[in-house]
Amino acid sequence: MLEIKNLHVKLEAEDKQILKGVDLKIGAGEVHAIMGPNGSGKSTLSYVLSGREGYEVTEGEATLDGVDLLEMEPEERAAAGLFLAFQYPVEIPGVGNMVFLRTALNAQRKARGEEEISAGDFLKLVREKAKTLKIDAEMLKRPVNVGFSGGEKKRNEILQMAILEPKMCILDETDSGLDVDAMKLVSEGVNALRSEGRSFLVITHYQRLLDHIKPDVVHIMAAGRIIKTGGPELALEVENNGYADLLEGVV
Ligand code: ADP
Ligand code: MG
Ligand code: MG
C-alpha cells in the first residue's frame, strides 16, 4: 500500500533538514501508529505525503500502490486514495457541510475521470454514512465546522473519510489534544472504517488512543527518523518509561 524509502525532507524557507531518512512500509488493511517526542518530524511526514507546500524532498521516495506520490498534485493524491484526516479543520462560514462534502467527493471523482454524483445519490450516501457514524442530520446542514465542538469537528472529519473512501488514511493528531470523548469518537469512527483494503497511519502523542485503535505496528520517530519499530507493546513501553531509553545514542 504505502511505501516510504529513505525519505529526506527539508523546509524550503529555512533550508532546515527535518526528515533524515524515513523508511516505512504499510500493507493493505494494516494500522500503523507513529509516536515520538514533539518536533521529531511526525507532522512533517504527513504534510509531505499529502503534498503541502513549503517542503522539499531532497532524497528518497514515497509510493502508494506502486505509484509515485511525490510527483502528484495534492488533489491527485486524494484521487489516488490518500486522505489526511484533520486537513480541513478550518471553519468555512457560508458553506454548508453537505455542499462541502459533495464538492470534495466530486473533485475526487473528476480527478479520477468519473461522473459527478447526483444530488439524490449524494443525499442517500451522506444519510447512510451519517447514520453509521451517529451523526446528527442537523450537523450536516450547518456551515462547515462553524460553532462545532471539538468532538463534532472530529466526527465531521471521520464523515469526510467515510464519504471519500480513501485506501490510505493518515491521522495526525493536533497537539492541543483531544478529551476522552473526542478520542473515543475518532477511534470508533476509525474502527468502523477499518477494512482489508484500507490502511491507516495514526500519528499520536497519546498511548491511550492506541487502547481504542489497536495498531498492528508501532513506530517511534525521533530526530527525523524511525528509530524503532515493534508491536503494540512498544506503545506501552513508551507510556511506562517515556522516550529517554529509546532516544539514548540517537539524538
Ligand atoms: P512533530 O509533529 O513530531 O511534533 P513537526 O513535523 O511538527 O514535528 O516538526 C519537526 C521540526 O520541524 C520541528 O523542529 C519544527 O519546529 C520544524 N518545523 C516544521 N514545520 C516548520 C515550519 N513551517 N517552519 C519552521 N519550522 C518548522
Ligand atoms: Mg509537534
Ligand atoms: Mg505534529
Side-chain angles (χ1 to χ4, degrees):
M1 180 71 73
L2 181 70
E3 187 161 12
I4 300 169
K5 281 188 203 158
N6 194 31
L7 191 65
H8 287 68
V9 172
K10 70 172 193 174
L11 274 178
E12 275 174 358
E14 296 179 27
D15 197 25
K16 179 179 167 191
Q17 201 74 32
I18 310 283
L19 299 185
K20 300 167 185 169
V22 172
D23 290 292
L24 185 62
K25 207 170 169 175
I26 303 180
E30 292 178 358
V31 177
H32 288 226
I34 295 186
M35 302 179 76
N38 232 325
S40 50
K42 304 183 296 297
S43 292
T44 300
L45 177 64
S46 64
Y47 295 151
V48 168
L49 292 175
S50 68
R52 190 188 271 214
E53 284 177 29
Y55 302 92
E56 188 193 334
V57 174
T58 53
E59 210 182 323
E61 55 188 81
T63 54
L64 186 64
D65 277 340
V67 181
D68 185 1
L69 272 178
L70 302 176
E71 288 297 314
M72 294 183 198
E73 296 299 322
E75 48 294 356
E76 293 172 325
R77 299 179 197 208
L82 183 76
F83 181 88
L84 179 63
F86 317 148
Q87 64 185 327
Y88 311 117
V90 287
E91 304 187 354
I92 316 179
V95 177
N97 209 11
M98 289 280 268
V99 173
F100 173 76
L101 290 169
R102 195 172 155 207
T103 305
L105 179 59
N106 278 330
Q108 185 187 67
R109 291 194 168 207
K110 194 172 166 210
R112 287 176 178 169
E114 296 168 3
E115 265 185 44
E116 288 199 348
I117 190 166
S118 73
D121 285 348
F122 180 71
L123 198 62
K124 232 193 283 174
L125 177 72
V126 174
R127 284 195 178 138
E128 177 205 310
K129 302 288 187 194
K131 198 174 163 194
T132 322
L133 296 170
K134 300 189 186 84
I135 286 172
D136 202 80
E138 195 254 339
M139 209 174 102
L140 298 171
K141 294 184 199 143
R142 285 158 59 186
V144 180
N145 287 331
V146 176
F148 283 23
S149 70
E152 284 173 334
K153 281 184 184 169
K154 297 294 164 204
R155 222 180 253 251
N156 207 34
E157 283 154 352
I158 300 294
L159 179 63
Q160 290 167 17
M161 208 193 291
I163 285 172
L164 293 175
E165 300 190 316
K167 54 186 179 188
M168 181 72 233
C169 308
I170 302 175
L171 291 89
D172 187 9
E173 294 305 319
T174 54
D175 284 338
S176 57
L178 304 174
D179 62 25
V180 175
D181 289 338
M183 199 177 289
K184 274 201 181 135
L185 284 179
V186 174
S187 311
E188 281 168 14
V190 167
N191 288 333
L193 292 175
R194 278 176 90 148
S195 76
E196 270 175 36
R198 180 170 298 137
S199 311
F200 290 86
L201 178 59
V202 180
I203 299 172
T204 181
H205 287 302
Y206 307 103
Q207 189 279 327
R208 54 189 179 145
L209 181 66
L210 305 180
D211 284 337
H212 302 287
I213 303 174
K214 298 252 182 290
D216 300 299
V217 182
V218 174
H219 309 274
I220 306 296
M221 190 161 177
R225 276 195 203 94
I226 304 251
I227 58 160
K228 190 163 184 179
T229 294
E233 73 286 348
L234 188 52
L236 290 170
E237 191 185 320
V238 167
E239 171 86 345
N240 294 330
N241 307 331
Y243 292 108
D245 289 352
L246 294 170
L247 297 184
E248 216 164 292
V250 176
V251 284

